[in-house]
Amino acid sequence: MWYIIKSRLIFLLKSSNQHGIHSPFVYDLVTKCFYDKSHYSAYDNLKILRNELTYNQDLVEIKHYSPSLKVFQQNHQKISTILKNEGSSYKKQKQLFRITNYLKPKNVLELGTSIGLGSTAMAFASNKSIITTVEVNENLSDIAKKVFRSYQLKNIRIENSAFKDFFKNINNKHLDLVYLDGTYDKKSTIENFNSLLKYAHNESVFIFNNIYWSKEMTEAWNIIKKQKEITVSIDTFYWGFLFFRKEQPKQHFTIRL
């Protein structure tokens, strides 16, 4: 907790908004996407969904979990507790919606479905996007499937698999948007990036969740963003964005959301 607080203070001192950004691509991304203040009707559906899950007291058996996650310290958890402690926040859901709506990716991959909040937000943004989401815990993905059916989101496919096993059977030649969640340690985060790197192309974006969860996660982020394939990296504290645009000079940005 102290690491996150300290990192947040340092981030606020270093970060800026759209002023001073000399890259037209990044400036447009920040002003037209990150800072888009429009109210989309999908936001209302996202809020309704969150309210439904907030009052859901059903117990879920957790068969696979990370010891670093407080929410999964017990074998059974209420859905409302999972929502509170582990699911994407409403702010993150809206940001995922805006990113998908702005970039309009065709092939989307999410690592770590949980109860489906992130993939739901992306599916609301574009019914033309083909979203594959991977979750090792079938009990969690069963909840996500109910959410997808309830909102008739037919462009989401769930894979029940460990990430390493899923990587062996990826069908896509290219991935346009990758949302990397579900890992909270340095080694796994770097391994996931390396496994997915060959599917990136010039217009791809990789989004890393929880880059300041721990010192290890920050170290992983700092190693990954320096890779030669990355031209633009954006630190928004809660997320790290990576772009592969060859026409861009290598630059790093620290942006407040």
Coordinates of all heavy atoms in Angstrom, one line a residue, residues 122-207:
M122 N -15.7 -3.0 -23.5 CA -15.1 -2.9 -24.9 C -16.2 -3.4 -25.9 O -16.3 -2.8 -27.0 CB -13.9 -3.8 -24.9 CG -12.7 -3.2 -24.2 SD -11.1 -4.1 -24.4 CE -11.4 -5.6 -23.4
A123 N -17.0 -4.4 -25.5 CA -18.0 -4.8 -26.4 C -19.1 -3.8 -26.6 O -19.6 -3.7 -27.8 CB -18.6 -6.1 -25.9
F124 N -19.4 -3.1 -25.6 CA -20.4 -2.0 -25.8 C -19.9 -0.9 -26.8 O -20.7 -0.3 -27.5 CB -20.7 -1.3 -24.4 CG -21.7 -2.0 -23.6 CD1 -21.6 -1.9 -22.2 CD2 -22.7 -2.7 -24.1 CE1 -22.5 -2.5 -21.4 CE2 -23.6 -3.4 -23.3 CZ -23.6 -3.3 -21.9
A125 N -18.6 -0.7 -26.8 CA -18.0 0.3 -27.6 C -18.0 -0.1 -29.1 O -18.2 0.8 -30.0 CB -16.6 0.6 -27.2
S126 N -17.9 -1.3 -29.4 CA -17.9 -1.7 -30.8 C -18.3 -3.2 -31.0 O -17.7 -4.1 -30.5 CB -16.4 -1.6 -31.3 OG -16.3 -2.2 -32.6
N127 N -19.5 -3.3 -31.6 CA -20.0 -4.7 -31.9 C -19.3 -5.3 -33.1 O -19.6 -6.5 -33.4 CB -21.5 -4.7 -32.1 CG -22.0 -3.8 -33.2 OD1 -21.1 -3.4 -34.1 ND2 -23.3 -3.5 -33.3
K128 N -18.4 -4.6 -33.7 CA -17.7 -5.1 -34.8 C -16.3 -5.7 -34.4 O -15.6 -6.4 -35.1 CB -17.4 -4.1 -35.9 CG -18.7 -3.6 -36.6 CD -18.5 -2.6 -37.7 CE -19.8 -2.2 -38.4 NZ -19.5 -1.2 -39.4
S129 N -15.9 -5.4 -33.1 CA -14.7 -5.9 -32.6 C -14.9 -7.4 -32.2 O -16.0 -7.7 -31.6 CB -14.3 -5.1 -31.4 OG -13.9 -3.8 -31.7
I130 N -14.0 -8.2 -32.5 CA -14.0 -9.6 -32.0 C -13.1 -9.7 -30.8 O -11.9 -9.6 -30.9 CB -13.5 -10.6 -33.1 CG1 -14.3 -10.4 -34.4 CG2 -13.5 -12.0 -32.7 CD1 -13.7 -11.0 -35.6
I131 N -13.8 -10.0 -29.7 CA -13.1 -9.9 -28.4 C -12.9 -11.3 -27.8 O -13.9 -12.1 -27.6 CB -13.9 -9.1 -27.4 CG1 -14.1 -7.6 -27.9 CG2 -13.2 -9.1 -26.0 CD1 -15.0 -6.8 -27.1
T132 N -11.7 -11.7 -27.6 CA -11.4 -13.0 -26.9 C -10.9 -12.6 -25.5 O -9.9 -11.8 -25.4 CB -10.3 -13.8 -27.7 OG1 -10.7 -14.0 -29.0 CG2 -10.0 -15.1 -27.0
T133 N -11.4 -13.3 -24.5 CA -11.0 -13.0 -23.2 C -10.7 -14.3 -22.5 O -11.4 -15.3 -22.7 CB -12.1 -12.2 -22.4 OG1 -11.7 -12.0 -21.1 CG2 -13.4 -12.9 -22.4
V134 N -9.6 -14.3 -21.7 CA -9.1 -15.6 -21.2 C -9.1 -15.5 -19.7 O -8.7 -14.6 -19.0 CB -7.6 -15.8 -21.6 CG1 -7.1 -17.1 -21.2 CG2 -7.4 -15.6 -23.1
E135 N -9.7 -16.6 -19.1 CA -9.8 -16.7 -17.6 C -9.6 -18.1 -17.2 O -10.3 -19.0 -17.7 CB -11.2 -16.2 -17.2 CG -11.5 -16.4 -15.7 CD -10.5 -15.7 -14.8 OE1 -10.4 -14.4 -15.0 OE2 -10.0 -16.3 -14.0
V136 N -8.7 -18.4 -16.3 CA -8.4 -19.7 -15.8 C -9.5 -20.3 -14.9 O -9.8 -21.5 -14.8 CB -7.0 -19.8 -15.1 CG1 -7.0 -19.0 -13.8 CG2 -6.6 -21.2 -14.9
N137 N -10.2 -19.4 -14.2 CA -11.2 -19.8 -13.2 C -12.6 -19.9 -13.8 O -13.2 -18.9 -14.1 CB -11.2 -18.8 -12.0 CG -12.0 -19.3 -10.8 OD1 -13.1 -19.8 -11.0 ND2 -11.5 -19.2 -9.6
E138 N -13.0 -21.1 -14.0 CA -14.3 -21.3 -14.7 C -15.5 -20.7 -13.9 O -16.5 -20.3 -14.5 CB -14.5 -22.8 -15.0 CG -13.6 -23.3 -16.0 CD -13.9 -24.8 -16.4 OE1 -15.1 -25.2 -16.2 OE2 -13.0 -25.5 -16.9
N139 N -15.4 -20.7 -12.6 CA -16.5 -20.1 -11.8 C -16.7 -18.6 -12.0 O -17.8 -18.1 -12.1 CB -16.3 -20.4 -10.3 CG -16.4 -21.9 -10.0 OD1 -17.2 -22.6 -10.7 ND2 -15.7 -22.4 -9.1
L140 N -15.5 -17.9 -12.2 CA -15.6 -16.5 -12.5 C -16.1 -16.3 -13.9 O -16.9 -15.4 -14.2 CB -14.2 -15.9 -12.4 CG -13.7 -15.7 -10.9 CD1 -12.3 -15.1 -10.9 CD2 -14.6 -14.8 -10.1
S141 N -15.6 -17.1 -14.9 CA -16.0 -16.9 -16.3 C -17.5 -17.2 -16.5 O -18.1 -16.7 -17.4 CB -15.1 -17.7 -17.2 OG -15.3 -19.1 -17.0
D142 N -18.0 -18.1 -15.6 CA -19.5 -18.4 -15.7 C -20.3 -17.2 -15.4 O -21.4 -17.0 -16.0 CB -19.8 -19.6 -14.8 CG -19.4 -20.9 -15.3 OD1 -19.1 -21.0 -16.5 OD2 -19.3 -21.9 -14.5
I143 N -19.8 -16.4 -14.4 CA -20.5 -15.2 -14.1 C -20.4 -14.2 -15.3 O -21.4 -13.6 -15.7 CB -19.9 -14.5 -12.8 CG1 -20.0 -15.4 -11.6 CG2 -20.5 -13.1 -12.6 CD1 -19.2 -15.0 -10.5
A144 N -19.2 -14.1 -15.9 CA -19.1 -13.2 -17.0 C -20.0 -13.7 -18.2 O -20.6 -12.8 -18.9 CB -17.6 -13.3 -17.5
K145 N -20.1 -14.9 -18.4 CA -21.0 -15.4 -19.5 C -22.4 -15.0 -19.3 O -23.1 -14.6 -20.2 CB -20.9 -17.0 -19.6 CG -19.6 -17.5 -20.1 CD -19.5 -19.0 -20.1 CE -18.2 -19.5 -20.6 NZ -18.1 -21.0 -20.5
K146 N -22.9 -15.0 -18.0 CA -24.2 -14.6 -17.7 C -24.4 -13.1 -18.0 O -25.4 -12.7 -18.5 CB -24.6 -14.9 -16.2 CG -24.7 -16.3 -15.9 CD -24.9 -16.6 -14.4 CE -25.0 -18.0 -14.1 NZ -25.2 -18.3 -12.6
V147 N -23.4 -12.3 -17.7 CA -23.4 -10.9 -18.0 C -23.5 -10.7 -19.5 O -24.3 -9.9 -20.0 CB -22.1 -10.2 -17.4 CG1 -22.0 -8.8 -18.0 CG2 -22.2 -10.2 -15.9
F148 N -22.7 -11.4 -20.3 CA -22.7 -11.2 -21.7 C -24.0 -11.6 -22.3 O -24.5 -10.9 -23.2 CB -21.6 -12.1 -22.3 CG -20.2 -11.8 -21.8 CD1 -19.2 -12.7 -21.9 CD2 -19.9 -10.5 -21.3 CE1 -17.9 -12.5 -21.4 CE2 -18.6 -10.3 -20.8 CZ -17.6 -11.2 -20.9
R149 N -24.6 -12.7 -21.8 CA -25.9 -13.1 -22.3 C -27.0 -12.0 -22.0 O -27.9 -11.7 -22.8 CB -26.3 -14.4 -21.8 CG -25.5 -15.6 -22.4 CD -26.2 -16.9 -22.1 NE -26.2 -17.2 -20.7 CZ -25.3 -17.9 -20.0 NH1 -24.3 -18.4 -20.7 NH2 -25.4 -18.2 -18.8
S150 N -26.9 -11.5 -20.7 CA -27.9 -10.6 -20.3 C -27.9 -9.3 -21.1 O -29.0 -8.8 -21.4 CB -27.6 -10.2 -18.8 OG -28.5 -9.2 -18.4
Y151 N -26.8 -8.9 -21.6 CA -26.7 -7.7 -22.5 C -26.5 -8.0 -23.9 O -26.2 -7.1 -24.7 CB -25.5 -6.8 -22.0 CG -25.9 -6.1 -20.7 CD1 -25.6 -6.7 -19.4 CD2 -26.5 -4.9 -20.6 CE1 -25.9 -6.1 -18.2 CE2 -26.9 -4.3 -19.4 CZ -26.6 -4.9 -18.2 OH -26.9 -4.3 -17.0
Q152 N -26.7 -9.3 -24.3 CA -26.7 -9.7 -25.7 C -25.4 -9.3 -26.4 O -25.4 -8.9 -27.5 CB -27.9 -9.2 -26.5 CG -29.2 -9.7 -25.9 CD -30.5 -9.2 -26.6 OE1 -30.4 -8.4 -27.6 NE2 -31.6 -9.7 -26.3
L153 N -24.3 -9.6 -25.7 CA -23.0 -9.3 -26.3 C -22.4 -10.5 -27.0 O -21.8 -11.4 -26.3 CB -22.0 -8.8 -25.2 CG -22.5 -7.5 -24.4 CD1 -21.6 -7.2 -23.3 CD2 -22.6 -6.3 -25.4
K154 N -22.7 -10.6 -28.2 CA -22.3 -11.8 -29.0 C -21.0 -11.8 -29.6 O -20.6 -12.7 -30.3 CB -23.4 -12.0 -30.1 CG -24.8 -12.2 -29.5 CD -25.9 -12.4 -30.6 CE -27.3 -12.6 -29.9 NZ -28.3 -12.8 -31.0
N155 N -20.2 -10.7 -29.4 CA -18.9 -10.6 -30.1 C -17.8 -10.9 -29.1 O -16.6 -10.6 -29.3 CB -18.7 -9.2 -30.7 CG -18.8 -8.1 -29.7 OD1 -19.6 -8.2 -28.7 ND2 -18.1 -7.0 -29.9
I156 N -18.1 -11.5 -27.9 CA -17.1 -11.9 -26.9 C -17.0 -13.4 -26.9 O -18.0 -14.1 -26.7 CB -17.5 -11.4 -25.5 CG1 -17.7 -9.9 -25.6 CG2 -16.4 -11.7 -24.5 CD1 -18.2 -9.3 -24.2
R157 N -15.8 -13.9 -26.9 CA -15.6 -15.4 -26.7 C -14.7 -15.6 -25.5 O -13.6 -15.0 -25.4 CB -14.9 -15.9 -28.0 CG -14.5 -17.4 -27.9 CD -14.1 -17.9 -29.3 NE -12.9 -17.2 -29.7 CZ -11.6 -17.6 -29.5 NH1 -11.4 -18.8 -28.8 NH2 -10.6 -17.0 -29.9
I158 N -15.1 -16.5 -24.6 CA -14.3 -16.7 -23.4 C -13.5 -18.0 -23.6 O -14.1 -19.0 -24.0 CB -15.2 -16.9 -22.2 CG1 -15.9 -15.5 -21.8 CG2 -14.4 -17.3 -21.0 CD1 -16.7 -15.6 -20.6
E159 N -12.2 -18.0 -23.3 CA -11.4 -19.2 -23.2 C -11.0 -19.5 -21.8 O -10.5 -18.6 -21.1 CB -10.1 -18.9 -24.0 CG -10.3 -18.8 -25.5 CD -10.5 -20.1 -26.2 OE1 -10.3 -21.2 -25.6 OE2 -10.9 -20.1 -27.4
N160 N -11.4 -20.7 -21.3 CA -11.0 -21.1 -20.0 C -9.7 -21.8 -20.1 O -9.6 -23.0 -20.5 CB -12.1 -22.0 -19.4 CG -13.4 -21.3 -19.0 OD1 -14.4 -21.6 -19.5 ND2 -13.2 -20.3 -18.1
S161 N -8.7 -21.1 -19.7 CA -7.3 -21.6 -19.9 C -6.3 -20.8 -19.1 O -6.5 -19.6 -18.8 CB -6.9 -21.6 -21.4 OG -5.6 -21.9 -21.6
A162 N -5.2 -21.4 -18.7 CA -4.1 -20.7 -18.2 C -3.5 -19.9 -19.4 O -3.6 -20.3 -20.5 CB -3.0 -21.6 -17.6
F163 N -2.9 -18.7 -19.1 CA -2.4 -17.9 -20.2 C -1.4 -18.7 -21.1 O -1.4 -18.6 -22.3 CB -1.8 -16.6 -19.7 CG -2.8 -15.7 -18.9 CD1 -2.3 -14.8 -18.0 CD2 -4.1 -15.8 -19.1 CE1 -3.2 -14.0 -17.4 CE2 -5.1 -15.0 -18.5 CZ -4.6 -14.1 -17.6
K164 N -0.5 -19.4 -20.4 CA 0.6 -20.1 -21.1 C 0.0 -21.1 -22.1 O 0.5 -21.2 -23.2 CB 1.5 -20.8 -20.2 CG 2.5 -19.8 -19.4 CD 3.4 -20.6 -18.5 CE 4.4 -19.7 -17.8 NZ 5.3 -20.4 -16.9
D165 N -1.1 -21.8 -21.7 CA -1.7 -22.7 -22.6 C -2.4 -22.1 -23.7 O -2.4 -22.5 -24.9 CB -2.7 -23.6 -21.8 CG -2.0 -24.5 -20.7 OD1 -0.8 -24.8 -21.0 OD2 -2.6 -24.8 -19.7
F166 N -3.0 -20.9 -23.4 CA -3.8 -20.2 -24.5 C -2.8 -19.7 -25.6 O -3.1 -19.8 -26.7 CB -4.5 -19.0 -23.9 CG -5.1 -18.1 -24.9 CD1 -6.3 -18.4 -25.5 CD2 -4.5 -16.9 -25.2 CE1 -6.9 -17.6 -26.5 CE2 -5.0 -16.1 -26.2 CZ -6.2 -16.4 -26.8
F167 N -1.6 -19.3 -25.2 CA -0.7 -18.7 -26.1 C -0.3 -19.8 -27.2 O 0.2 -19.4 -28.3 CB 0.6 -18.2 -25.4 CG 0.3 -17.0 -24.5 CD1 1.1 -16.8 -23.4 CD2 -0.7 -16.1 -24.8 CE1 0.9 -15.7 -22.6 CE2 -0.9 -15.0 -23.9 CZ -0.1 -14.8 -22.8
K168 N -0.4 -21.0 -26.8 CA 0.0 -22.1 -27.8 C -0.9 -22.3 -28.9 O -0.6 -22.9 -29.9 CB 0.2 -23.4 -27.0 CG 1.2 -23.4 -25.9 CD 1.2 -24.7 -25.1 CE 2.2 -24.7 -24.0 NZ 2.1 -25.9 -23.1
N169 N -2.2 -21.7 -28.7 CA -3.2 -22.0 -29.7 C -3.9 -20.7 -30.2 O -5.1 -20.7 -30.5 CB -4.3 -22.9 -29.1 CG -3.7 -24.3 -28.7 OD1 -3.2 -25.0 -29.5 ND2 -3.6 -24.5 -27.4
I170 N -3.2 -19.6 -30.2 CA -3.8 -18.4 -30.7 C -4.1 -18.5 -32.2 O -3.2 -18.8 -33.0 CB -2.9 -17.1 -30.4 CG1 -2.8 -16.9 -28.9 CG2 -3.5 -15.9 -31.1 CD1 -1.9 -15.7 -28.5
N171 N -5.3 -18.1 -32.6 CA -5.6 -18.2 -34.0 C -5.3 -17.0 -34.8 O -5.1 -17.0 -36.0 CB -7.1 -18.6 -34.2 CG -7.5 -20.0 -33.6 OD1 -6.7 -20.9 -33.8 ND2 -8.6 -20.1 -33.0
N172 N -5.4 -15.8 -34.1 CA -5.2 -14.5 -34.8 C -3.7 -14.4 -35.2 O -2.8 -14.7 -34.5 CB -5.5 -13.4 -33.9 CG -6.9 -13.5 -33.3 OD1 -7.2 -14.1 -32.3 ND2 -7.9 -12.9 -34.0
K173 N -3.6 -13.8 -36.5 CA -2.2 -13.5 -36.9 C -1.8 -12.1 -36.4 O -0.7 -11.8 -36.2 CB -2.2 -13.5 -38.5 CG -2.4 -14.9 -39.1 CD -2.3 -14.8 -40.6 CE -2.4 -16.2 -41.2 NZ -2.3 -16.1 -42.7
H174 N -2.9 -11.3 -36.2 CA -2.6 -9.9 -35.7 C -3.6 -9.6 -34.5 O -4.7 -10.0 -34.6 CB -2.8 -8.9 -36.8 CG -1.8 -9.0 -37.9 ND1 -0.5 -8.8 -37.8 CD2 -2.0 -9.4 -39.2 CE1 0.1 -9.0 -38.9 NE2 -0.8 -9.4 -39.8
L175 N -3.1 -8.9 -33.6 CA -3.9 -8.4 -32.5 C -3.9 -6.9 -32.5 O -2.8 -6.3 -32.5 CB -3.5 -8.9 -31.1 CG -3.7 -10.5 -30.9 CD1 -2.9 -10.9 -29.7 CD2 -5.1 -10.8 -30.8
D176 N -5.1 -6.3 -32.5 CA -5.1 -4.8 -32.6 C -5.1 -4.1 -31.2 O -4.5 -3.1 -31.0 CB -6.4 -4.4 -33.3 CG -6.5 -5.0 -34.7 OD1 -5.5 -5.0 -35.4 OD2 -7.6 -5.6 -35.0
L177 N -5.7 -4.8 -30.2 CA -5.8 -4.2 -28.9 C -5.6 -5.4 -27.9 O -6.3 -6.4 -28.0 CB -7.1 -3.5 -28.6 CG -7.1 -2.7 -27.2 CD1 -8.2 -1.6 -27.4 CD2 -7.5 -3.6 -26.1
V178 N -4.6 -5.3 -27.0 CA -4.4 -6.3 -26.0 C -4.5 -5.7 -24.6 O -3.8 -4.7 -24.4 CB -3.0 -7.0 -26.2 CG1 -2.8 -8.1 -25.1 CG2 -2.9 -7.6 -27.5
Y179 N -5.4 -6.2 -23.8 CA -5.5 -5.7 -22.4 C -5.0 -6.7 -21.5 O -5.6 -7.8 -21.3 CB -7.0 -5.4 -22.1 CG -7.3 -4.8 -20.7 CD1 -6.4 -3.8 -20.2 CD2 -8.3 -5.3 -20.0 CE1 -6.7 -3.3 -19.0 CE2 -8.6 -4.8 -18.7 CZ -7.8 -3.8 -18.2 OH -8.0 -3.3 -17.0
L180 N -3.8 -6.5 -20.9 CA -3.1 -7.5 -20.1 C -3.4 -7.2 -18.6 O -2.9 -6.3 -18.0 CB -1.6 -7.4 -20.3 CG -1.2 -7.8 -21.7 CD1 -0.9 -6.5 -22.5 CD2 0.1 -8.7 -21.7
D181 N -4.3 -8.1 -18.1 CA -4.6 -8.1 -16.7 C -4.4 -9.5 -16.2 O -4.1 -10.4 -16.9 CB -6.1 -7.6 -16.5 CG -6.5 -7.2 -15.1 OD1 -5.6 -7.2 -14.3 OD2 -7.6 -6.9 -14.9
G182 N -4.6 -9.7 -14.9 CA -4.6 -11.1 -14.4 C -3.3 -11.6 -13.9 O -3.2 -12.7 -13.4
T183 N -2.2 -10.8 -14.1 CA -0.9 -11.2 -13.5 C -0.4 -10.0 -12.7 O -0.6 -8.9 -13.0 CB 0.1 -11.5 -14.6 OG1 0.2 -10.4 -15.5 CG2 -0.3 -12.8 -15.4
Y184 N 0.2 -10.4 -11.6 CA 0.6 -9.4 -10.6 C 2.1 -9.6 -10.2 O 2.5 -9.2 -9.1 CB -0.3 -9.4 -9.4 CG -1.7 -8.9 -9.7 CD1 -2.6 -9.8 -10.3 CD2 -2.1 -7.6 -9.5 CE1 -3.9 -9.4 -10.6 CE2 -3.4 -7.2 -9.8 CZ -4.3 -8.1 -10.3 OH -5.5 -7.7 -10.7
D185 N 2.9 -10.2 -11.0 CA 4.3 -10.4 -10.7 C 5.1 -10.1 -12.0 O 4.6 -10.1 -13.1 CB 4.6 -11.8 -10.2 CG 4.3 -12.9 -11.3 OD1 3.2 -13.3 -11.5 OD2 5.3 -13.2 -12.0
K186 N 6.4 -9.8 -11.7 CA 7.3 -9.3 -12.8 C 7.5 -10.4 -13.9 O 7.4 -10.1 -15.1 CB 8.6 -8.9 -12.1 CG 9.7 -8.4 -13.1 CD 10.9 -8.0 -12.3 CE 12.1 -7.6 -13.2 NZ 13.3 -7.2 -12.4
K187 N 7.8 -11.6 -13.4 CA 8.2 -12.6 -14.4 C 7.0 -12.9 -15.3 O 7.2 -13.0 -16.5 CB 8.6 -13.9 -13.6 CG 9.0 -15.1 -14.4 CD 9.5 -16.2 -13.6 CE 10.0 -17.4 -14.4 NZ 8.9 -18.1 -15.1
S188 N 5.8 -13.2 -14.8 CA 4.7 -13.5 -15.6 C 4.3 -12.4 -16.6 O 4.0 -12.6 -17.7 CB 3.5 -13.9 -14.8 OG 3.8 -15.0 -14.0
T189 N 4.4 -11.1 -16.1 CA 4.1 -10.0 -16.9 C 5.0 -9.9 -18.1 O 4.5 -9.7 -19.3 CB 4.1 -8.7 -16.1 OG1 3.2 -8.8 -15.0 CG2 3.8 -7.5 -16.9
I190 N 6.3 -10.0 -17.9 CA 7.2 -10.0 -19.0 C 7.0 -11.2 -20.0 O 7.1 -11.0 -21.2 CB 8.7 -9.9 -18.5 CG1 8.9 -8.6 -17.7 CG2 9.7 -10.1 -19.6 CD1 10.2 -8.5 -17.0
E191 N 6.8 -12.3 -19.4 CA 6.6 -13.5 -20.2 C 5.3 -13.4 -21.1 O 5.3 -13.7 -22.3 CB 6.4 -14.8 -19.4 CG 7.8 -15.2 -18.7 CD 7.6 -16.4 -17.8 OE1 6.4 -16.8 -17.5 OE2 8.6 -17.0 -17.4
N192 N 4.3 -12.8 -20.5 CA 3.1 -12.6 -21.3 C 3.3 -11.6 -22.5 O 2.9 -11.8 -23.6 CB 1.9 -12.1 -20.4 CG 1.4 -13.1 -19.5 OD1 1.7 -14.3 -19.6 ND2 0.7 -12.6 -18.4
F193 N 4.0 -10.6 -22.2 CA 4.4 -9.6 -23.3 C 5.2 -10.3 -24.4 O 4.9 -10.1 -25.6 CB 5.2 -8.4 -22.7 CG 5.8 -7.5 -23.7 CD1 5.0 -6.6 -24.4 CD2 7.1 -7.6 -24.0 CE1 5.5 -5.8 -25.4 CE2 7.7 -6.8 -25.0 CZ 6.9 -5.9 -25.7
N194 N 6.2 -11.0 -24.0 CA 7.0 -11.7 -25.0 C 6.3 -12.7 -25.8 O 6.5 -12.8 -27.0 CB 8.2 -12.3 -24.3 CG 9.2 -11.4 -23.7 OD1 9.4 -10.2 -24.2 ND2 10.0 -11.8 -22.7
S195 N 5.3 -13.3 -25.2 CA 4.5 -14.3 -25.9 C 3.6 -13.7 -26.9 O 3.3 -14.3 -28.0 CB 3.7 -15.2 -24.9 OG 4.5 -15.9 -24.1
L196 N 3.2 -12.4 -26.7 CA 2.2 -11.7 -27.5 C 2.8 -10.8 -28.5 O 2.2 -10.3 -29.4 CB 1.2 -11.0 -26.7 CG 0.3 -11.8 -25.8 CD1 -0.5 -11.0 -24.8 CD2 -0.7 -12.6 -26.7
L197 N 4.1 -10.5 -28.4 CA 4.8 -9.5 -29.2 C 4.7 -9.8 -30.7 O 4.5 -8.9 -31.5 CB 6.3 -9.4 -28.7 CG 7.1 -8.3 -29.4 CD1 6.5 -6.9 -29.2 CD2 8.5 -8.4 -28.9
K198 N 4.8 -11.1 -31.0 CA 4.8 -11.4 -32.5 C 3.4 -11.2 -33.1 O 3.3 -11.2 -34.4 CB 5.2 -12.9 -32.6 CG 4.2 -13.9 -31.9 CD 4.8 -15.3 -32.1 CE 4.0 -16.3 -31.3 NZ 4.5 -17.7 -31.4
Y199 N 2.4 -10.9 -32.3 CA 1.1 -10.6 -32.9 C 0.8 -9.1 -33.0 O -0.3 -8.7 -33.5 CB 0.0 -11.3 -32.0 CG 0.1 -12.8 -31.9 CD1 0.7 -13.3 -30.7 CD2 -0.2 -13.6 -32.9 CE1 0.8 -14.7 -30.6 CE2 -0.1 -15.0 -32.8 CZ 0.4 -15.5 -31.6 OH 0.6 -16.9 -31.5
A200 N 1.8 -8.3 -32.6 CA 1.6 -6.9 -32.7 C 1.9 -6.4 -34.1 O 2.8 -7.0 -34.8 CB 2.5 -6.2 -31.7
H201 N 1.3 -5.3 -34.5 CA 1.6 -4.7 -35.8 C 1.6 -3.2 -35.6 O 1.5 -2.7 -34.5 CB 0.5 -5.1 -36.9 CG -0.9 -4.7 -36.5 ND1 -1.4 -3.5 -36.8 CD2 -1.9 -5.4 -35.8 CE1 -2.7 -3.4 -36.3 NE2 -3.0 -4.6 -35.8
N202 N 1.8 -2.5 -36.7 CA 2.0 -1.0 -36.6 C 0.9 -0.3 -35.8 O 1.2 0.7 -35.2 CB 2.2 -0.4 -38.0 CG 2.9 0.9 -37.9 OD1 4.1 1.0 -37.6 ND2 2.2 2.0 -38.3
E203 N -0.3 -0.7 -35.9 CA -1.4 0.0 -35.3 C -1.9 -0.6 -34.0 O -2.9 -0.2 -33.4 CB -2.6 0.0 -36.3 CG -2.3 0.6 -37.6 CD -1.8 2.0 -37.6 OE1 -2.3 2.8 -36.8 OE2 -0.8 2.3 -38.3
S204 N -1.2 -1.6 -33.5 CA -1.5 -2.3 -32.2 C -1.3 -1.4 -31.0 O -0.5 -0.5 -31.0 CB -0.7 -3.6 -32.0 OG -1.0 -4.5 -33.0
V205 N -2.1 -1.7 -30.0 CA -1.9 -1.1 -28.7 C -1.9 -2.2 -27.6 O -2.8 -3.0 -27.7 CB -2.9 0.1 -28.3 CG1 -4.3 -0.4 -28.4 CG2 -2.6 0.7 -27.0
F206 N -1.0 -2.2 -26.7 CA -1.0 -3.1 -25.6 C -1.3 -2.2 -24.3 O -0.6 -1.2 -24.1 CB 0.3 -3.8 -25.4 CG 0.6 -5.0 -26.3 CD1 -0.1 -5.1 -27.5 CD2 1.5 -5.9 -26.0 CE1 0.1 -6.1 -28.4 CE2 1.7 -7.0 -26.9 CZ 1.0 -7.1 -28.1
I207 N -2.2 -2.6 -23.5 CA -2.5 -1.9 -22.3 C -2.2 -2.8 -21.1 O -2.8 -3.9 -21.0 CB -4.0 -1.5 -22.3 CG1 -4.4 -0.7 -23.5 CG2 -4.3 -0.6 -21.0 CD1 -5.9 -0.4 -23.7

